[in-house]
Amino acid sequence: MKVLVIGGAGYIGSHAVRLLNRSGHDATVLDSLVLGHAEAVPAASLTVGDLSSVDFLTELLVRDSIEAVMHFAAFASVPESVIEPAKYYENNLIGTIHLLEAMRRTGVSRLVFSSTCATYGIPESVPITEETAQRPINPYGFTKLACERAMADYSRAYGLGFVALRYFNASGAAEDGSIGEDHDPETHLIPIALQAALGKRDHIAIYGNDYPTPDGTCIRDYIHVDDLAEAHRLTLERIEPGAGRYYNVGTGRGFSVREVIESARRVTGRPIPAVEKPRRPGDPPALVAAADLLRRNTGWAPRYTEIDAIVASAWRWHSKHPEGYA
Ligand code: UDP
């Protein structure tokens, strides 16, 4: 399929582009390069632009004879969304509406959308299934839930076929260490731990030690970026016109902040000083996926289930590219 990958020069998008091209699809990338990196994708496939104009998006879909869209282009930092919600509503929500409108105009009716476990807020129980009530507790989660609702309405009224993949914590890097995670500023746990291992930070902060979890720190389900990319490919190939599907994408295993930092110490063989700090606003105590539906409907299974294997793949990227992309 001719697939437009929006946000394809970003962390998860770039891994999806590589997998699509290796699986016989033809990926074209649209990226604003605000957070994305041109070096992460084949130069010939990249169009630089954003989601602010329906006309521009419409022309692009026609120009490249696009048959399906993967939409990764979003701001995805929980703490930033609390401080700057306007940025999140503008880009994540309004940008997505523009895309849906361009797809409606051109009759492109297959969409894989990056949703998030942040749409669940503080779940009543874990693991979280797709039936768990969605009650976000931060603006990031609200913008993604609003996009899910918009897609459902476009699907019923206009025949859009879509899949919303609710990611848990994307992590790791391509096995050969050639592409990986490079955010500026970095806010995510694993890359920050590895930057501390590289001596680029003098310590890592542990945000909150009084959560209702066994060691008092937050628990997350870390899902490898290549396993996420594979979930995109498998669901893309199964989209039904006029139907929407929602899938959790996680390993089903949860690791605490302390366990992740311990893993980073083991993998790197370096001391990583940690300092306990107050809770970060917007953080639920524990998020772990039940991803059985995705497994059942597509045959998907994560290749990375051990935290050390995930951290080791991230370490290959960070140790080869201590300054990130050029
Ligand atoms: N975290 C931390 N120190 C850091 C970065 C993150 O203790 O320097 C914690 C954060 O509070 C959360 C977990 O690690 O409980 C995962 O955070 P991350 O930002 O990686 O992903 P999120 O779950 O917010 O999407």
Side-chain angles (χ1 to χ4, degrees):
M1 262 183 270
K2 285 278 291 182
V3 185
L4 177 63
V5 184
I6 305 178
Y11 171 42
I12 307 170
S14 58
H15 290 78
V17 166
R18 185 176 279 193
L19 179 72
L20 283 170
N21 287 334
R22 287 180 180 170
S23 311
H25 296 289
D26 182 0
T28 304
V29 175
L30 172 64
D31 201 295
S32 67
L33 300 184
V34 170
L35 298 178
H37 304 277
E39 305 93 309
V41 289
S45 69
L46 176 65
T47 298
V48 179
D50 62 23
L51 298 171
S52 59
S53 160
V54 179
D55 287 341
F56 165 72
L57 293 167
T58 304
E59 281 161 29
L60 188 64
L61 293 173
V62 173
R63 184 196 78 185
D64 291 342
S65 310
I66 295 300
E67 297 167 274
V69 177
M70 286 187 182
H71 177 23
F72 295 92
F75 295 123
S77 158
V78 167
E80 185 189 51
S81 81
V82 176
I83 295 161
E84 257 188 288
K87 180 172 166 184
Y88 280 68
Y89 282 95
E90 176 72 34
N91 183 69
N92 294 10
L93 178 56
I94 298 176
T96 299
I97 303 297
H98 288 165
L99 170 65
L100 293 178
E101 215 26 50
M103 292 178 69
R104 179 163 82 98
R105 283 190 194 170
T106 52
V108 177
S109 63
R110 292 187 188 92
L111 175 61
V112 184
F113 176 75
S114 304
S115 189
T116 167
C117 62
T119 60
Y120 294 112
I122 301 178
E124 271 157 19
S125 60
V126 288
I128 297 168
T129 73
E130 290 79 2
E131 304 304 315
T132 299
Q134 289 176 291
R135 297 193 204 100
I137 60 162
N138 53 57
Y140 169 60
F142 272 108
T143 62
K144 290 289 184 171
L145 180 57
C147 291
E148 285 195 5
R149 296 285 152 84
M151 291 188 298
D153 291 336
Y154 269 68
S155 178
R156 266 187 297 272
Y158 311 126
L160 175 72
F162 76 92
V163 176
L165 295 179
R166 295 177 186 153
Y167 311 161
F168 284 64
N169 286 56
S171 46
E175 201 51 54
D176 64 1
S178 61
I179 53 175
E181 188 166 12
D182 178 3
H183 298 120
D184 186 20
E186 188 52 76
T187 62
H188 294 110
L189 180 63
I190 293 175
I192 286 180
L194 297 179
Q195 286 175 354
L198 285 167
K200 299 189 65 193
R201 297 173 186 262
D202 53 23
H203 68 276
I204 181 164
I206 295 177
Y207 294 127
N209 58 9
D210 57 351
Y211 283 98
T213 59
D215 71 14
T217 67
C218 287
I219 291 176
R220 295 288 181 274
D221 181 334
Y222 294 88
I223 177 74
H224 193 276
V225 65
D226 278 337
D227 287 327
L228 270 179
E230 180 67 357
H232 283 78
R233 179 186 75 82
L234 289 167
T235 54
L236 172 80
E237 291 170 354
R238 287 164 178 77
I239 289 181
E240 304 142 80
R245 297 257 180 262
Y246 306 86
Y247 292 116
N248 289 340
V249 197
T251 62
R253 296 186 66 184
F255 294 94
S256 72
V257 172
R258 287 191 212 281
E259 287 172 328
V260 171
I261 295 172
E262 267 314 311
S263 168
R265 290 180 179 135
R266 272 194 303 277
V267 165
T268 62
R270 303 191 184 181
I272 296 175
V275 176
E276 315 226 336
K277 294 271 175 71
R279 292 183 178 195
R280 199 175 68 171
D283 275 342
L287 297 170
V288 179
D292 308 75
L293 191 64
L294 179 64
R295 289 172 187 263
R296 221 172 27 245
N297 286 1
T298 70
W300 177 84
R303 287 194 300 128
Y304 293 82
T305 53
E306 299 300 328
I307 191 67
D308 284 8
I310 293 174
V311 171
S313 88
W315 180 235
R316 278 192 284 282
W317 157 257
H318 285 280
S319 51
K320 275 189 194 168
H321 305 88
E323 304 305 325
Y325 289 99

